[in-house]
């Protein structure tokens, strides 16, 4: 009787217990996990096979049909139990192949971030991996028939598992002991194919071979492909561990003491390499999810176990095991970030489902692809009838529902899609209201619109206004429909170490929206959720006619400013400017007067940042993010305001609707103006009518725990000329009760 490996069992128990706090937060952030839950319920209640998505995952879906009544806890716990069995199997494989220490190799697999995250969801990745490991362990025990059967079951969980036939066959070919290799490979192939076909029989009966299809979509940007395939799998600390392992292995090879020279490793190394190459190739073909690389992870660990000395292998495993709990240059560790995402997903989806249940049946809610399975699943748990949920319907489908008397609603983020799909019929559909914790409707003396937080406006650049309409032109959004206005966009510091943090973190960090008075609103960013540890709040006062008054306050709590400054930036993506330029009173070379920023034609235009005259440039080190940091050396502002001109009715052929968009500040030195022009026109050139009119606030020598801030005002009025600008500037100073810079208005050329 074999001795029980109590240490391995203890490690697996620790792994199991470490996952328990995450089991009841929905089915996972991946919409496919929710599709599995819906599929399981429909199979159970309908009695016939219903796929979660193509190319179908029948083994996992049928198991889910037996667990769905237990909700997220049951399905996620099922994944955890199967995952833990897989981790134990991996320990047996390491022991069989004499890779030590076994317990540390198991921890490395179990705590690799992408494995940890997917072991507490309803996704099928870990089900497939465990069955692959069963198959590989069967090969180690010289049972090719069982190996093929397990591989067929793995294919029933994820069809790509059949690619393991190649490395499994190679393993048989490279065995040093005398065996009948053709026979063993034949047994492997026959059992794999037979079990795979058996698993897919319910699918084939309904769809024939048409189930062999996937929705690929557009190929993502390479930056995302690289991120998902590296830190998305291993975490930053784990990726550092892999790099250390590679260097260590190379050094060992050069010194001549590499374990790869041992004959007992001749089969393990090429098989592991083939697995890594196979799944790497599959990922690059469809690089949409980090989870696609999960089957390669145990073989990467096995590979390091064979090419590294024991000290090197221990180092790599320790860093991988710590990776989900530690962060480098980011606010949250991988598991913390995943936890926050699941909480936010559940909060947002629950709010939307409550609203959907309120509108009831005989209605349609267009959600987009990711939210549909989440809302369908949650609605099944509510009392009453839900509306019909649609992902991205075509015009024929929408017209069909309208013809049946259905009302059509949509999540805010689907507005542009429906507008493009429906054209003039878009007026027949309505947005579904978002909770006041995510969205506040605006109906002030001069403005109508919506103020949203980062969650509600996630697909349109984050928290801010969308739309914001000046009432004299009730059909004209001041800001682009696909973007946002007055959006807290960046925090940056000129340091290389915070390069990645210097773009878009305030858009992603948790923020809180609330109404604090009649036409008064507040967006707050708690320091606990800030990537920079920056406590911040912006108050919006729309109570006066034709103006939005802003109060910004912030308190740095984390010392992340080695260059001696903390800079913040706000963006407004204008919808229909007469041209891209902003105008201010300042200096240009040797001239003082009105200065325009954004000059040029075609692709050769001014963009970037303008600072106050006499203020030293912000420092930065090589390798820092400098996109918004470097100031123009020639143009500087003197008076703390700038303005641009908008087309009121957004018909450029009319000329009697020139609108002033004036932004004023209560101080000079910390303020910086910026203009960017990212959106392109039909000719591929920067669209002069869609600039970003931005500003920045820079704190020099920030002290931790000290409160900083500024006040600003945005004036929207019919444009009347130069005197109007100065009158608003004087009124602003009087309202503030402070003395603003006095300028000589004479001898200047005013831009009309």
């Amino acid at each position: 009787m074999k001795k029980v490996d109590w240490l391995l069992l203890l490690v697996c128990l620790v792994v199991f217990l470490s996952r328990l706090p995450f089991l009841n937060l929905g089915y996972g952030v991946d919409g496919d996990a929710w599709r599995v839950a819906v599929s399981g319920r429909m199979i159970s209640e309908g009695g016939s096979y219903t796929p979660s998505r193509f190319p179908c995952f029948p083994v996992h879906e049928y198991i889910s049909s037996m667990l769905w009544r237990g909700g997220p806890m049951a399905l996620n716990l099922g994944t955890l139990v199967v995952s833990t069995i897989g981790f134990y199997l991996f320990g047996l494989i390491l022991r069989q192949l004499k890779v030590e220490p076994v317990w540390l190799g198991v921890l490395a697999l179990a705590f690799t971030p992408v494995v940890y995250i997917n072991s507490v969801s309803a996704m099928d990745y870990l089900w497939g991996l465990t069955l692959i490991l069963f198959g590989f362990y069967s090969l180690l025990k010289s049972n090719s028939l069982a190996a093929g059967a397990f591989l067929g079951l793995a294919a029933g969980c994820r069809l790509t598992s059949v690619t393991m036939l190649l490395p499994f066959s190679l393993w048989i070919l490279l065995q040093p002991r005398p065996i009948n290799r053709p026979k063993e490979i034949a047994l492997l192939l026959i059992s794999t194919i037979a079990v795979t076909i058996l698993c897919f029989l319910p699918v084939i009966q309904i769809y024939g071979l048409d189930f062999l299809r996937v929705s690929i979509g557009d190929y993502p940007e390479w930056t995302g492909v690289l991120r998902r395939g590296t830190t998305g799998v291993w975490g930053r600390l784990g990726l550092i561990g892999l790099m250390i392992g590679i260097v260590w292995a190379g050094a060992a090879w050069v010194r001549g003491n590499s374990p790869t020279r041992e004959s007992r490793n001749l089969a393990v190394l090429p098989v592991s390499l083939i697995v890594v190459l196979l799944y790497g190739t599959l990922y690059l073909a469809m690089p949409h999810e980090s989870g696609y690389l999960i089957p390669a992870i145990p073989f990467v660990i096995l590979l390091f176990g064979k090419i590294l000395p024991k000290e090197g292998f221990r180092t790599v495993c320790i860093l991988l095991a710590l990776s989900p709990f530690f962060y480098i240059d980011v606010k949250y560790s991988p598991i913390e970030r995943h936890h926050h995402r699941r909480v936010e997903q559940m909060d947002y989806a629950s709010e939307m489902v409550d609203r959907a249940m309120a509108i009831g049946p005989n209605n349609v809610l267009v959600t987009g692809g990711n939210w549909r399975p989440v809302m369908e699943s949650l609605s099944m748990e509510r009392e009453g009838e839900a509306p019909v949920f649609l992902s991205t319907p075509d015009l024929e489908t929408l017209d069909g529902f309208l013809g049946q008397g259905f009302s059509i609603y949509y999540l805010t983020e689907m507005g542009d899609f429906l507008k493009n799909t429906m054209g003039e019929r878009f007026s027949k559909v309505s947005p579904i209201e978002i909770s006041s914790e995510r969205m506040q409707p605006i109906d002030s003396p001069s403005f109508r619109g919506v103020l949203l937080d980062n969650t509600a406006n996630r697909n349109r650049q984050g928290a801010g206004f969308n739309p914001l309409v000046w009432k004299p032109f009730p059909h004209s959004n001041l800001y682009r429909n696909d973007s946002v206005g007055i959006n807290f966009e960046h925090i940056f510091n000129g340091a290389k170490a915070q390069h990645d943090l210097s773009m878009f973190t305030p858009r992603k960090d948790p923020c809180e929206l609330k109404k604090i008075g009649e036409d008064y609103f507040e967006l707050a960013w708690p320091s606990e959720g800030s990537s920079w540890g920056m406590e911040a709040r912006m108050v919006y006062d729309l109570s006066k006619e034709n103006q939005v008054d802003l109060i910004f306050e912030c308190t740095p709590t984390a010392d992340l400013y080695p260059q001696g400054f903390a800079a913040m930036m706000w963006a407004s993506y204008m919808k229909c400017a007469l041209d891209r330029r902003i105008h201010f009173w300042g200096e240009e070379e040797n001239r003082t007067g009105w200065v325009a920023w954004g000059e040029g034609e075609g692709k050769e235009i001014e963009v970037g940042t303008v600072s106050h005259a006499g203020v030293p440039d912000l420092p930065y080190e090589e390798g820092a993010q400098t996109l918004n940091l470097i100031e123009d050396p020639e143009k500087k502002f003197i008076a703390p305001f700038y303005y641009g001109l908008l087309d009121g009715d957004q018909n450029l052929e009319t000329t009697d609707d020139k609108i002033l968009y004036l932004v004023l500040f209560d101080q000079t030195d910390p303020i910086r103006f910026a203009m960017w022009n990212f959106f392109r026109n039909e000719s591929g050139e920067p669209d002069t009518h869609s600039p970003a009119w931005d500003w920045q606030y820079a704190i020099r020598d920030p002290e931790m725990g000290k409160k900083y801030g500024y006040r600003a005002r945005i004036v929207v009025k019919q444009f009347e000329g130069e005197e109007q600008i100065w009158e608003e500037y004087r009124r602003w100073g009087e309202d503030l009760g402070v003395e603003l810079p006095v300028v000589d208005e004479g001898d200047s050329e005013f831009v009309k």
Side-chain angles (χ1 to χ4, degrees), residues 419 442 446-450 465-482 485 573-578 645-652 654 656-661 689 716-718:
K419 187 178 294 184
I442 307 295
S446 293
F447 297 97
R448 176 181 55 80
V450 179
F465 290 106
N466 192 309
L468 187 65
V469 173
W470 187 45
K471 287 185 175 179
F473 291 93
H475 303 293
S476 299
N477 184 4
L478 295 175
Y479 309 114
R480 286 180 61 99
N481 295 332
D482 57 359
Y573 296 88
M574 312 311 295
K575 185 175 182 182
C576 195
L578 290 181
L645 298 176
L646 303 174
D647 188 284
D649 64 1
Q650 300 184 352
N651 179 358
L652 295 170
T654 59
D656 60 347
D657 55 349
K658 192 178 294 185
I659 303 303
L660 170 68
Y661 187 91
H689 304 298
V716 182
K717 288 185 174 180
Q718 194 84 23

Side-chain angles (χ1 to χ4, degrees), residues 32-226:
D32 287 344
W34 294 80
R35 290 183 176 92
V36 168
V38 173
S39 169
R41 178 168 185 160
M42 296 179 72
I43 291 172
S44 174
E45 294 182 338
S48 60
Y49 176 71
T50 304
S52 59
R53 72 269 192 214
F54 291 98
C56 301
F57 307 80
V59 170
H60 186 237
E61 290 158 345
Y62 271 108
I63 293 173
S64 299
S65 73
M66 294 181 277
L67 299 175
W68 74 268
R69 294 183 189 278
M73 178 62 78
L75 264 68
N76 297 342
L77 182 61
T79 301
L80 176 56
V81 169
V82 169
S83 302
T84 306
I85 294 171
F87 302 146
Y88 184 81
L89 271 172
F90 186 57
L92 297 181
I93 290 169
L94 292 176
R95 176 142 299 143
Q96 184 79 12
L97 295 174
K98 303 187 186 307
V99 176
E100 297 287 347
V102 169
W103 67 272
L104 202 50
V106 170
L107 285 179
L109 172 62
F111 287 102
T112 295
V114 72
V115 174
Y116 194 126
I117 287 167
N118 283 282
S119 68
V120 291
S121 78
M123 281 300 293
D124 39 52
Y125 297 124
L126 272 299
W127 291 78
L129 175 64
T130 295
L131 289 165
I132 287 172
L133 293 175
F134 263 116
F136 191 53
Y137 186 68
S138 298
L139 276 186
L140 297 181
K141 294 298 184 180
S142 304
N143 192 335
S144 301
L145 192 65
F150 283 121
L151 202 53
L153 290 171
C157 290
R158 293 197 66 83
L159 190 55
T160 52
S161 300
V162 295
T163 58
M164 292 297 293
L165 274 172
L166 178 58
F168 279 19
S169 299
L170 181 62
W171 178 268
I172 294 171
L173 288 173
L174 294 177
Q175 291 310 297
R177 65 183 185 280
I179 57 172
N180 189 335
R181 291 177 177 80
K183 175 186 174 183
E184 295 299 320
I185 291 175
L187 288 173
L188 174 70
L189 289 172
I190 291 170
S191 58
T192 300
I193 293 171
V195 174
T196 300
I197 291 174
L198 185 64
C199 291
F200 278 86
L201 273 180
V203 182
I204 295 170
Q205 289 175 345
I206 298 172
Y207 300 102
L209 295 180
D210 287 342
F211 75 92
L212 294 170
R213 50 188 161 106
V214 292
S215 178
I216 297 176
D218 296 332
Y219 200 87
E221 294 184 0
W222 275 103
T223 53
V225 174
L226 184 62

Side-chain angles (χ1 to χ4, degrees), residues 141 319 629:
K141 294 298 184 180
L319 292 175
L629 194 155

Side-chain angles (χ1 to χ4, degrees), residues 234-502:
W234 308 102
R236 297 193 177 195
L237 188 63
L239 190 61
I240 290 172
L242 296 189
M243 293 177 180
I244 291 173
I246 292 170
V247 172
W248 202 319
W253 178 269
V254 171
R255 290 195 301 266
N257 61 346
S258 171
T260 57
R261 299 176 185 274
E262 300 175 14
S263 60
R264 61 189 173 91
N265 293 333
L266 291 179
V268 177
L269 296 179
V271 167
S272 298
L273 281 171
I274 287 293
V275 173
V276 173
L277 289 173
L278 272 175
Y279 277 92
T281 303
L282 288 171
Y283 170 74
L284 290 176
M286 290 190 299
H288 302 294
E289 300 288 347
S290 301
Y292 295 168
L293 289 167
I294 284 177
I297 293 173
F299 292 91
V300 170
I301 295 170
L302 185 57
L303 195 59
F304 276 115
K306 287 299 185 180
I307 66 175
L308 284 175
K310 288 185 177 180
E311 297 79 7
F313 182 62
R314 289 193 188 98
T315 301
V316 172
C317 289
I318 289 170
L319 292 175
L320 283 175
L322 293 176
S323 188
F325 308 107
F326 284 83
Y327 54 88
I328 299 174
D329 200 28
V330 291
K331 178 66 176 177
Y332 297 115
S333 68
I335 196 62
E336 287 175 318
R337 185 170 295 277
H338 177 74
H339 176 73
H340 284 299
R341 287 181 64 194
R342 287 180 77 157
V343 170
E344 289 175 359
Q345 179 196 55
M346 288 298 295
D347 288 346
Y348 178 78
S350 295
E351 291 175 4
M352 293 301 97
V353 169
D354 288 342
R355 181 65 58 180
M357 299 304 292
I359 65 175
N362 299 323
N363 292 287
V364 170
L365 177 57
V366 180
T367 63
N370 288 330
W371 287 112
R372 178 181 176 180
V374 180
M375 294 186 179
E376 282 184 339
S377 180
L378 289 176
S379 68
M380 291 176 178
E381 301 168 7
R382 303 288 205 274
E383 293 183 4
E385 293 185 63
V388 177
F389 296 99
L390 298 178
S391 300
T392 52
D394 56 24
L395 181 58
E396 182 179 356
T397 300
L398 293 168
D399 279 343
F401 279 107
L402 288 171
Q404 297 176 54
F406 279 61
S407 295
I408 296 178
Y409 295 84
Y410 61 91
L411 297 185
T412 307
E413 62 191 58
M414 296 302 296
D416 288 339
F417 165 80
L418 285 174
K419 187 178 294 184
N420 293 331
T421 301
M422 302 184 74
E424 295 180 356
R425 295 183 182 85
F426 181 68
S427 60
K428 298 182 179 181
V429 302
S430 305
I432 190 169
E433 286 189 28
I434 301 174
S435 162
S436 61
E437 295 177 2
R438 303 290 187 202
M439 176 199 79
Q440 286 286 348
I442 307 295
D443 191 7
S444 70
S446 293
F447 297 97
R448 176 181 55 80
V450 179
L451 180 62
L452 306 106
D453 74 352
N454 281 337
T455 300
N457 207 42
R458 62 165 55 85
N459 286 346
R460 297 183 303 182
Q461 319 294 352
F465 290 106
N466 192 309
L468 187 65
V469 173
W470 187 45
K471 287 185 175 179
F473 291 93
H475 303 293
S476 299
N477 184 4
L478 295 175
Y479 309 114
R480 286 180 61 99
N481 295 332
D482 57 359
S483 295
V484 70
I486 316 181
N487 167 249
F488 188 14
E489 186 174 42
H490 305 301
I491 301 176
F492 53 95
N493 68 350
K496 179 180 179 181
Q498 282 76 43
H499 180 280
D500 291 345
L501 283 186
S502 296

Side-chain angles (χ1 to χ4, degrees), residues 79 220 231 262 280 420 464 492 494 523 585 605 637 648 697 732 745:
T79 301
T231 55
E262 300 175 14
N420 293 331
F492 53 95
L523 269 169
W585 186 270
I605 60 171
F637 76 86
Y697 174 64
W732 171 236
E745 303 169 23

Side-chain angles (χ1 to χ4, degrees), residues 583-585 594 639 641-645 660-664 715 719-732 745 750-751:
H583 309 276
F584 52 86
W585 186 270
W594 288 108
F641 70 82
Y642 68 82
Y643 77 91
L645 298 176
L660 170 68
Y661 187 91
L662 172 64
V663 187
L664 307 114
V715 176
F719 181 59
E720 298 174 359
E722 176 180 4
E723 183 56 36
Q724 179 189 28
I725 305 293
W726 294 118
E727 179 59 35
E728 293 294 341
Y729 182 59
R730 286 189 287 269
R731 185 169 68 89
W732 171 236
E745 303 169 23
F750 184 69
V751 180

